[in-house]
Amino acid sequence: MNRKQMLFVAAGALLIGGALVLAFRTPPVPVEVAEVVRATFEQTIEEDGKTRVRERYVVSAPLAGRLSRVQLHAGDEVKAGATVAVLSPSAPAMIDARSARELSERVGA
């Protein structure tokens, strides 16, 4: 190989090597720059979440009636003896002849 051919081979190798370096080079990563100071760390996170009920309480009444609007909201504290709900008696059902006879027989028994 003469000197001219060696120059072309070297230049080609440099071009291929340069192309490979450019192809596999990682892009620069943007960073934030700030002055370092000693202070308390404060951060607020606002996210939506789901709550789970761990203990369920069933409030029931042995009477039929209408429930007035409850004045308490979810999470309100309830003390012992406090009124939670007010039940008003509902209108009695109409008594037909058969039901009237059954009721009078029950009273007689």
Side-chain angles (χ1 to χ4, degrees):
M1 267 187 54
N2 64 12
R3 192 173 171 107
K4 212 175 195 184
Q5 287 176 341
M6 291 281 279
L7 254 165
F8 281 128
V9 170
L14 279 175
L15 282 174
I16 291 173
L20 287 173
V21 167
L22 287 176
F24 291 110
R25 181 183 71 167
T26 57
V29 178
V31 296
E32 292 182 24
V33 180
E35 183 181 338
V36 176
V37 294
R38 185 178 297 259
T40 57
F41 180 73
E42 294 180 11
Q43 183 176 5
T44 303
I45 299 173
E46 292 183 20
E47 289 290 329
D48 292 334
K50 290 184 179 180
T51 58
R52 292 184 213 142
V53 176
R54 292 181 189 235
E55 298 177 21
R56 285 192 177 190
Y57 296 98
V58 177
V59 178
S60 62
L63 306 170
R66 292 182 171 260
L67 177 68
S68 300
R69 184 176 297 270
V70 178
Q71 299 297 323
L72 300 172
H73 299 287
D76 286 352
E77 189 174 321
V78 179
K79 296 182 180 176
T83 303
V84 176
V86 177
L87 285 174
S88 304
S90 60
M94 298 297 287
I95 299 176
D96 58 356
R98 179 179 175 215
S99 299
R101 271 185 271 139
E102 285 180 11
L103 292 173
S104 63
E105 291 297 322
R106 283 189 190 172
V107 171

